[in-house]
Amino acid sequence: MAEKFHTELKHLRKETVAMAQFGRSMLKDSVDALVRQDEQLAGSVVARKGDIHLREVELEERCYQLIALYQPMAKDMRVIACTLKVITASMRIGRYGKVIANIVREIAVKPHISHTMSIPHMAELVVEMIDDAITAYETDSIELIADFSTRDDTIDALRHSIFREGITHMMEDPRTITRCTHYIMVARYLERCADHACKIAENVQYMDTGERIEIH
Amino acid sequence: MSGDGIISTTDLNLWYREKHALQSVSMRIPKNKVTALIGPSGCGKSTLLRCFNRLNDLIDHVKITGKITFDDHEIHAPGTDVVLLRKKIGMVFQKPNPFPKSIYENVSYGPRVHGVRDRETLDRIVEESLRHAALWDEVKDRISDSALGLSGGQQQRLCIARTLAVGPEVILMDEPCSALDPIATAKIENLIEKLREEYTVIIVTHNMQQAARVSDYTGFMYLGKLIECGKTVQIFEHPAEELTENYITGRFG
Ligand SMILES: Nc1ncnc2c1ncn2[C@@H]1O[C@H](COP(=O)(O)OP(=O)(O)OP(=O)(O)O)[C@@H](O)[C@H]1O
Ligand SMILES: [Mg+2]
């Protein structure tokens, strides 16, 4: 019984990692598509929306089944609790990828303003946080998430700077308003994705140590 | 552990001849709470339970060292009235063991042994005990029938009523549901929940979910040692010891 359960739990965790990486790629590709004004790549991100939703439903269902059938306790329970949160966070990250991909199609016709400002750099940092959160979940390595609070602060600072830079451009030349507003929105989505990485991190901490933490 | 301790053991050791069955067990049983003892077969749960009302005295070649106190009295002190001790600390066993007599006689037996003769008083004790054991409504019209005609679950509740009839403070239960079906088990579990208001309950169970459902505190034993004891939610959500973690997640062996 216990052995069957632990095998299933291991598979569940592996596939949750795969789903998280899938969501992370949607986000990464959407920003790449934005920067390169690659409408085809943006289209492929939008097309992945259905797939990630199916994974979400399927994996969540498996969590509930394991709870119903085995009433897991202690770390087993904490793994499942954390897995449910990882699934939700990954879905959200993937969905922000789709939202950004839609923006690409709206603003691809005209050249970028100021090379999309700090968006590529911000995206790189956010994707690194997501990667570390996923690896921490996969391999029980909480040391990877130890500095998340500081990294999250950096992300917030970048969002503010993009906001201020956008305002400056818009005041100088109202024709940039549409594009700059979109950049500001993208920065906002990226910041939300970093928050989701933090949520994963908080839950990995709970999974591994039983301790509840809050990353601001 | 928080709360008033009603029973506590200090450095308790027990040997069956050469077999060192309890090794330096120190624990405190909080009053008016349910404490569960869990652990793999042979780890000493029943032995520890039997220490609390000195039932091990009845077994040959048992040696005990250390201290056990009940209501601040050392239970091995010379002059301890063991009959009184077992009246105050009653026990319910794994297999229901009613006497082959009527339901009434089963419950009134204890009080009569302790000198209650008055019929009205006995009637009252029998009814109260059966009510407390959540059995009254099912048997009130057949109180003179043989106890052996009851179902297994009813027999177990009768045994609980029999224990309650002598006015105990503590009730020891050694796997009280292991011979029962899920519905009868649920009834006993509900009963334990109610008993907590007036009594202290210590229950040994192999069913971890049951320990989690019914108890306030849980002690995990392994190879004669008490490995960890604490609030049940803490033990099942995040135990302090890896051994406990491995046991309750079924990673043992
Ligand atoms: N009367 C006895 N004489 C000798 N050894 C005994 C006696 N009773 C128990 N033991 C031994 O002491 C150890 C603890 O036994 P105990 O019955 O307390 O375990 P337990 O935790 O209740 O196990 P189970 O879950 O199987 O009921 C076991 O190794 C057992 O074999
Ligand atoms: Mg036993």
Side-chain angles (χ1 to χ4, degrees):
Chain A
M1 264 298 253
E3 212 166 297
K4 184 167 169 238
F5 168 72
H6 288 127
T7 312
E8 287 188 28
L9 190 58
K10 207 164 85 191
H11 288 152
L12 172 70
R13 221 167 136 176
K14 223 163 122 186
E15 284 164 53
T16 303
V17 167
M19 176 193 169
Q21 285 162 345
F22 189 87
R24 171 252 190 227
S25 302
M26 285 175 71
L27 181 71
K28 169 116 182 33
D29 288 351
S30 73
V31 178
D32 286 349
L34 177 81
V35 174
R36 299 204 305 257
Q37 303 199 297
D38 183 340
E39 283 187 81
Q40 205 179 343
L41 183 57
S44 103
V45 172
V46 175
R48 280 175 250 171
K49 165 88 196 312
D51 193 348
I52 195 165
H53 178 65
L54 284 181
R55 289 178 191 227
E56 177 194 30
V57 173
E58 200 249 341
L59 290 173
E60 261 185 26
E61 184 62 33
R62 275 168 58 188
C63 289
Y64 299 142
Q65 281 170 0
L66 288 180
I67 293 170
L69 294 177
Y70 299 96
Q71 292 109 51
M73 289 172 161
K75 176 134 189 210
D76 292 341
M77 182 278 290
R78 302 198 308 271
V79 168
I80 295 186
C82 178
T83 299
L84 280 166
K85 298 285 190 180
V86 174
I87 293 167
T88 305
S90 306
M91 178 67 202
R92 299 266 161 82
I93 290 169
R95 209 157 52 193
Y96 279 121
K98 193 211 85 174
V99 174
I100 294 172
N102 280 333
I103 292 177
V104 175
R105 297 200 277 192
E106 279 183 50
I107 61 172
V109 282
K110 285 188 190 162
H112 280 309
I113 295 157
S114 184
H115 310 290
T116 68
M117 307 187 259
S118 313
I119 285 176
H121 177 56
M122 184 179 178
E124 197 179 313
L125 295 184
V126 170
V127 169
E128 274 170 16
M129 282 177 81
I130 297 170
D131 282 338
D132 284 346
I134 297 172
T135 310
Y137 167 74
E138 184 179 14
T139 59
D140 292 286
S141 17
I142 46 173
E143 69 279 358
L144 286 176
I145 56 172
D147 57 355
F148 261 41
S149 186
T150 328
R151 289 162 77 175
D152 195 45
D153 289 345
T154 310
I155 299 299
D156 285 345
L158 279 167
R159 180 173 84 86
H160 282 297
S161 100
I162 290 171
F163 177 74
R164 284 192 311 272
E165 194 182 338
I167 296 284
T168 312
H169 288 295
M170 289 190 280
M171 289 197 306
E172 266 170 25
D173 178 1
R175 284 171 304 175
T176 65
I177 286 180
T178 307
R179 265 163 301 153
C180 284
T181 306
H182 281 306
Y183 294 155
I184 290 170
M185 295 299 282
V186 169
R188 169 77 184 137
Y189 300 146
L190 286 171
E191 185 229 18
R192 293 297 301 139
C193 289
D195 287 347
H196 287 301
C198 291
K199 269 275 160 282
I200 295 178
E202 287 170 4
N203 280 280
V204 170
Q205 180 80 29
Y206 173 67
M207 172 176 85
D208 282 343
T209 66
E211 179 197 351
R212 315 295 316 244
I213 56 164
E214 207 180 325
I215 301 170
H216 294 285
Chain B
M1 269 195 209
S2 63
D4 284 351
I6 184 165
I7 295 179
S8 41
T9 73
T10 315
D11 197 18
L12 177 67
N13 286 276
L14 183 146
W15 289 263
Y16 295 108
R17 292 181 197 275
E18 307 299 297
K19 166 96 196 162
H20 195 175
L22 293 179
Q23 302 180 20
S24 189
V25 173
S26 296
M27 87 183 290
R28 228 155 63 83
I29 306 289
K31 196 173 170 154
N32 289 101
K33 299 279 181 212
V34 179
T35 301
L37 292 173
I38 59 169
S41 200
C43 68
K45 305 179 293 292
S46 300
T47 303
L48 178 60
L49 205 64
R50 285 197 302 264
C51 282
F52 296 144
N53 65 353
R54 289 185 55 179
L55 272 188
N56 290 315
D57 291 11
L58 311 173
I59 303 170
D60 285 341
H61 309 292
V62 167
K63 186 182 140 204
I64 297 175
T65 66
K67 205 167 92 175
I68 306 173
T69 58
F70 167 59
D71 272 345
D72 296 328
H73 297 292
E74 161 66 285
I75 69 167
H76 287 105
T80 301
D81 182 345
V82 180
V83 175
L84 183 66
L85 179 72
R86 293 191 190 134
K87 177 174 179 289
K88 292 204 169 159
I89 307 180
M91 183 140 178
V92 177
F93 297 89
Q94 180 172 359
K95 225 171 138 268
N97 54 354
F99 310 129
K101 291 179 184 287
S102 74
I103 294 168
Y104 186 93
E105 284 170 293
N106 263 277
V107 183
S108 59
Y109 177 83
R112 283 201 286 118
V113 167
H114 286 99
V116 182
R117 288 278 175 272
D118 176 51
R119 181 75 196 193
E120 260 178 47
T121 312
L122 283 175
D123 286 355
R124 186 178 50 75
I125 293 176
V126 168
E127 179 173 340
E128 264 178 16
S129 306
L130 286 168
R131 278 191 192 281
H132 265 114
L135 189 59
W136 175 252
D137 288 338
E138 290 164 59
V139 302
K140 59 173 187 264
D141 302 322
R142 48 197 272 219
I143 203 101
S144 306
D145 292 2
S146 168
L148 300 182
L150 297 173
S151 72
Q154 289 172 327
Q155 288 187 9
Q156 193 61 304
R157 277 177 285 145
L158 178 67
C159 293
I160 293 172
R162 195 174 63 189
T163 307
L164 298 180
V166 297
E169 292 178 36
V170 179
I171 303 160
L172 310 175
M173 299 184 171
D174 197 346
E175 301 184 45
C177 302
S178 59
L180 306 181
D181 66 54
I183 292 172
T185 297
K187 285 191 180 160
I188 301 275
E189 289 182 3
N190 291 338
L191 175 56
I192 292 172
E193 173 71 23
K194 291 208 191 70
L195 290 175
R196 186 213 274 121
E197 291 163 16
E198 284 178 57
Y199 309 92
T200 301
V201 178
I202 310 173
I203 178 173
V204 166
T205 174
H206 270 136
N207 179 335
M208 233 109 50
Q209 273 76 29
Q210 178 170 67
R213 283 192 298 263
V214 304
S215 71
D216 305 293
Y217 293 88
T218 297
F220 168 61
M221 297 182 68
Y222 184 60
L223 298 177
K225 295 196 176 84
L226 180 69
I227 303 298
E228 180 171 359
C229 188
K231 284 223 164 74
T232 296
V233 274
Q234 186 244 311
I235 298 281
F236 288 105
E237 187 187 352
H238 180 230
E241 300 295 327
E242 200 177 337
L243 264 179
T244 318
E245 173 91 49
N246 289 344
Y247 180 69
I248 63 181
T249 58
R251 287 181 169 86
F252 236 61

